[in-house]
Amino acid sequence: MAEAVEARLEANRRPALSIIRDLAIAVAVIVLIWLGLRVLRSETALDALGPLAGKLVQALIGIVLGVVGIWALFVVGNSLVELLPARATTFVRPYLFVGPAIAVVSIFLVAPAIGTIIQSFTEVPEGEGPLYNYAQAFTDPALQVALRNNAIWLVLAPAGSLLIGLAFAGLVDRVKRESFAKAFIFLPLCISGAGVAVIWRFIYEWRPPGQPQIGILNAFVTALGGEPVPWLQEIPVNTLALIVAFIWIQTGFAMVILSAAIKGVPIELMEAARIDGAGELQTFLRVVMPSIRGSVITVFTLSAIAVLKVFDIVYVTTNGNFQTDVIANRMFNEMFRFRNFGFATALAVILLVAVVPIIVINVRNLRRQGIGA
Amino acid sequence: MTAETVEGIPPKTAETAAVRTARASRPRQSSGWLAKVLVLIIAVAWTIPTAGVFVSSFRAEVDVSSSGWWTVFSHPFDFTQYTLANYSRVLTSEDMFEAFVNSLIVTIPATVIPITLAAFAAYAFAWTKFRGRSFLFAIVVGLLVIPLQMSLVPLLRLYGNYDLTGTFVGVWLAHAGFGLPLAIYILYNYISQLPKDIFESAHIDGATPFTAFTRLVIPLSYPALAAFAIFQFLWVWNDLLVSLVFLGTNPDIAVLTVSLAQLVGSRGAAWHLLTAGAFVSMIIPLIVFLTMQRFFVRGILAGSVKG
């Protein structure tokens, strides 16, 4: 087979003129991309067009450049590789396909992750030992609060979204217009954390007693004769308030996965339980639940990972004030606001160490599912 | 990285057919009313937060600050109480139009670039032989577990050295890097299950691996490409952390989420503006959600492992 390919490729060897053409195209593409990037980052290049037209032209250049550029690079790369002798082409081409992706993940994930681990030990004040940042992390009282909050999140948020998602998935299986009903639950999943933060700040809006409450929760509380509660300022209810916002998003995720799993439970199994006299709830608990155990663990572990990394909800609602801080928010502030890079890298490593055991549980669970199913 | 993940994507016809039969014959009548009531209660409770923001964004400033949004329902068809003023204000004087365009400039290439890189890589991993293939693939999949926080500090410094902070190309590449392991994983699962015969016959017909890729793999992988595209599009559009760190808050380049967070910081009590701003930031995801719900669900099932 390989010889046949080579023979044909040899037969297809192109004349010198087309080689020059390919090289010229390659150079032209690279120059065009370079020029486009120059225009895109220049502050003044498009000013002559006026603010609106300038912005839209910039958008056009940016989108075309990004989308067409990446394809043009592959096409050009391929045509250059095909100029090589046939044997070399066959050898090099896989690397042309894999190489860019590997380069990008190396630059953006592998090298930085190694750098972060190293810096967490080396970026310490003069005369301090390599464990300084970690010692700081575990003695700093503000960080104790963040770690404690992450623990509270970890206990309540995955369980809350799992229970409601499971209940809804089980119930919705029995009503008409199922997918319509489901849409309401998973719509929050497509809203950004910043948007969710605004939505829930509005729910929790607090006005002094006597003034009209425009936040629906305090309107409810005062209508029942209570005092309005500053939900986002009052400790410890504020952390719970943020967790509720997270559950509001995450329930849709739990519901989508669990609903798919419940559909997969063989109908005969449930029929058999019913014939044996089991009620609806019993059938669900004794028959459905054990069958979807793997999916439950999956939802739980993935939610737990999302919880450990929660950032934008906290950043936009309280920015960690009033004792609501979490590790990811603290890491962002140490890095971006205080330029405290050593400490920030140590926090990233702590986050990694917290996430890894959960992922191990998840992978084990998936293996078991793979073998069991 | 779930069983469901894989299941949602590749064409396993026998299995889905079985699921469909099970679904069709499911009894829906028993203890119906209680289930209906509970479903209704949860659905309403889940809609109230968004509805409040939606209604308030169309109310005049004085109304929003003096009465609850639910009061409009006492006379919902009195259209004089609704206004578009909040939207025109956030779009113009609060820079949200510019932020909207910036979000498009960031999101579209930051979706297409990783998909392209991943599709080429997944194809090579699945259908070509080269030295180091399984080693490199294991690394890529292993990277799924690394939280992106592990990358931020060194990248911020790298970007500082090469003047990439605050540039669109910088944030495209960052999003591409963070999205790639998942993209390769999803696309590999799909592309590696394409039938072997089609590649052989393409080969015999004289197609190079490159044309086999563009003419066969890309069109045939459309369900997996669409699922990942929607997932990545929404992820990038909704991202705050990466945009804050690598793009920043300057209105010339700030994206919608950053702009909205800024608005909360500067005008935290101006609910008529915040609600309109929130809706401007949500409109594209909502359109994507409503028009492509099927792919959206697949994207969630497939994309749930993203860090």
Side-chain angles (χ1 to χ4, degrees):
Chain A
M1 185 83 117
E3 290 84 53
V5 180
E6 272 166 39
R8 201 181 50 245
L9 285 175
E10 281 313 327
N12 288 355
R13 277 293 90 156
R14 275 123 12 124
L17 198 63
S18 82
I19 294 179
I20 293 169
R21 191 198 60 196
D22 281 359
L23 285 173
I25 291 174
V27 172
V29 164
I30 288 163
V31 169
L32 270 176
I33 290 177
W34 183 77
L35 282 176
L37 290 177
R38 285 292 297 268
V39 173
L40 197 61
R41 73 183 302 174
S42 149
E43 309 237 316
T44 49
L46 302 169
D47 281 0
L49 297 167
L52 181 64
K55 191 74 208 171
L56 294 177
V57 170
Q58 186 196 27
L60 196 68
I61 294 176
I63 292 167
V64 169
L65 196 66
V67 173
V68 179
I70 187 75
W71 277 91
L73 285 176
F74 271 107
V75 171
V76 161
N78 184 63
S79 72
L80 292 183
V81 167
E82 282 179 1
L83 294 180
L84 297 169
R87 196 182 288 272
T89 304
T90 333
F91 178 77
V92 172
R93 184 148 34 204
Y95 295 102
L96 172 79
F97 286 7
V98 182
I102 296 296
V104 170
V105 295
S106 305
I107 296 169
F108 287 87
L109 293 168
V110 179
I114 296 169
T116 291
I117 292 172
I118 294 173
Q119 284 168 30
S120 71
F121 294 108
T122 57
E123 296 222 359
V124 293
E126 286 272 323
E128 298 287 351
L131 289 175
Y132 175 82
N133 288 321
Y134 293 95
Q136 284 293 97
F138 288 105
T139 51
D140 173 21
L143 201 75
Q144 303 281 303
V145 172
L147 289 171
R148 184 205 66 195
N149 285 341
N150 270 102
I152 297 174
W153 277 78
L154 203 53
V155 171
L156 297 181
S161 53
L162 182 71
L163 285 179
I164 303 173
L166 187 60
F168 194 84
L171 290 169
V172 84
D173 207 32
R174 314 162 169 279
V175 301
K176 282 181 204 152
R177 319 185 82 202
E178 182 183 336
S179 57
F180 179 74
K182 279 172 162 178
F184 289 97
I185 309 301
F186 70 67
L187 186 126
L189 262 182
C190 72
I191 302 174
S192 67
V196 168
V198 169
I199 289 172
W200 284 85
R201 277 175 70 110
F202 193 45
I203 299 258
Y204 295 136
E205 176 73 356
W206 173 86
R207 296 287 183 80
Q211 288 188 26
Q213 297 294 335
I214 64 166
I216 195 167
L217 197 56
N218 275 324
F220 202 69
V221 169
T222 48
L224 293 177
E227 287 279 294
V229 181
W231 300 101
L232 291 174
Q233 283 83 41
E234 192 161 298
I235 304 160
V237 77
N238 51 6
T239 292
L240 298 180
L242 295 185
I243 291 174
V244 168
F246 182 88
I247 290 175
W248 183 66
I249 310 176
Q250 194 70 12
T251 297
F253 169 78
M255 186 269 293
V256 167
I257 292 186
L258 295 174
S259 181
I262 290 175
K263 302 267 178 243
V265 177
I267 193 89
E268 297 78 13
L269 221 56
M270 297 164 76
E271 296 282 298
R274 291 203 187 96
I275 289 167
D276 288 350
E280 287 302 312
L281 190 63
Q282 270 207 317
T283 311
F284 190 76
L285 292 178
R286 301 270 174 86
V287 178
V288 177
M289 276 299 282
S291 326
I292 62 170
R293 185 165 159 264
S295 299
V296 170
I297 296 176
T298 301
V299 168
F300 194 87
T301 50
L302 293 178
S303 302
I305 294 166
V307 158
L308 283 173
K309 292 190 286 196
V310 67
F311 164 72
D312 34 19
I313 296 179
V314 176
Y315 179 77
V316 181
T317 46
T318 62
N319 194 13
N321 291 317
F322 314 110
Q323 298 193 20
T324 55
D325 217 354
V326 291
I327 303 177
N329 187 59
R330 183 63 193 272
M331 191 238 159
F332 175 81
N333 282 324
E334 290 292 341
M335 171 181 69
F336 215 62
R337 187 166 301 170
F338 308 128
R339 302 269 144 189
N340 202 348
F341 290 123
F343 196 54
T345 50
L347 292 181
V349 175
I350 291 173
L351 202 58
L352 175 72
V353 170
V355 166
V356 164
I358 302 175
I359 290 171
V360 171
I361 296 174
N362 190 25
V363 170
R364 279 212 187 133
N365 167 48
L366 293 172
R367 284 231 182 96
R368 198 169 42 229
Q369 273 182 305
I371 296 162
Chain B
M1 225 192 308
T2 68
E4 290 86 350
T5 304
V6 189
E7 223 168 78
I9 307 299
K12 289 189 184 166
T13 38
E15 215 169 284
T16 41
V19 170
R20 221 169 282 140
T21 344
R23 202 176 296 174
S25 59
R26 203 148 285 252
R28 292 184 187 275
Q29 74 293 352
S30 55
S31 66
W33 67 270
L34 184 63
K36 265 181 206 156
V37 170
L38 287 172
V39 163
L40 191 69
I41 289 174
I42 300 178
V44 168
W46 247 246
T47 312
I48 285 174
T50 324
V53 166
F54 184 69
V55 170
S56 298
S57 69
F58 293 104
R59 299 179 77 207
E61 177 175 1
V62 53
D63 295 343
V64 173
S65 60
S66 63
S67 64
W69 57 271
W70 51 91
T71 55
V72 301
F73 294 116
S74 58
H75 40 86
F77 299 109
D78 170 14
F79 288 101
T80 55
Q81 63 184 328
Y82 304 121
T83 168
L84 288 172
N86 305 330
Y87 283 94
S88 70
R89 173 107 180 261
V90 290
L91 288 174
T92 55
S93 54
E94 302 294 342
D95 295 323
M96 279 218 152
F97 174 74
E98 201 164 17
F100 188 91
V101 177
N102 288 336
S103 273
L104 286 173
I105 303 179
V106 168
T107 308
I108 294 172
T111 303
V112 173
I113 292 172
I115 288 191
T116 308
L117 292 172
F120 274 104
Y123 169 61
F125 279 130
W127 293 103
T128 64
K129 288 204 169 65
F130 57 93
R131 204 180 262 269
R133 183 175 73 154
S134 44
F135 172 73
L136 289 174
F137 187 68
I139 290 206
V140 168
V141 173
L143 288 172
L144 277 169
V145 308
I146 309 260
L148 71 82
Q149 276 85 357
M150 286 294 286
S151 293
L152 295 180
V153 170
L155 279 184
L156 197 60
R157 286 186 168 154
L158 186 79
Y159 271 36
N161 292 341
Y162 291 93
D163 248 353
L164 279 169
T165 323
T167 64
F168 289 121
V169 68
V171 82
W172 295 341
L173 291 174
H175 276 303
F178 300 143
L180 259 178
L182 181 67
I184 295 176
Y185 178 76
I186 290 178
L187 295 181
Y188 175 84
N189 281 339
Y190 196 92
I191 291 174
S192 63
Q193 299 202 358
L194 294 173
K196 198 175 178 189
D197 317 4
I198 60 164
F199 293 104
E200 277 167 3
S201 45
H203 193 80
I204 291 162
D205 290 346
T208 66
F210 192 83
T211 41
F213 176 77
T214 52
R215 299 283 169 79
L216 288 174
V217 174
I218 293 291
L220 288 175
S221 311
Y222 148 80
L225 293 170
F228 178 77
I230 289 182
F231 178 80
Q232 175 80 358
F233 183 92
L234 290 175
W235 203 91
V236 174
W237 186 275
N238 288 337
D239 155 77
L240 177 67
L241 182 57
V242 175
S243 307
L244 262 182
V245 172
F246 297 115
L247 212 47
T249 53
N250 180 340
D252 284 342
I253 43 175
V255 295
L256 273 173
T257 48
V258 171
S259 181
L260 185 62
Q262 295 284 102
L263 195 62
V264 171
S266 61
R267 326 218 23 167
W271 282 110
H272 60 297
L273 298 181
L274 287 175
T275 51
F279 243 84
V280 170
S281 80
M282 283 156 57
I283 187 75
I284 294 283
L286 286 179
I287 291 172
V288 170
F289 168 77
L290 293 173
T291 55
M292 289 180 266
Q293 209 175 20
R294 197 162 48 94
F295 287 117
F296 180 67
V297 172
R298 272 196 215 163
I300 290 169
L301 290 174
S304 45
V305 289
K306 165 113 186 207

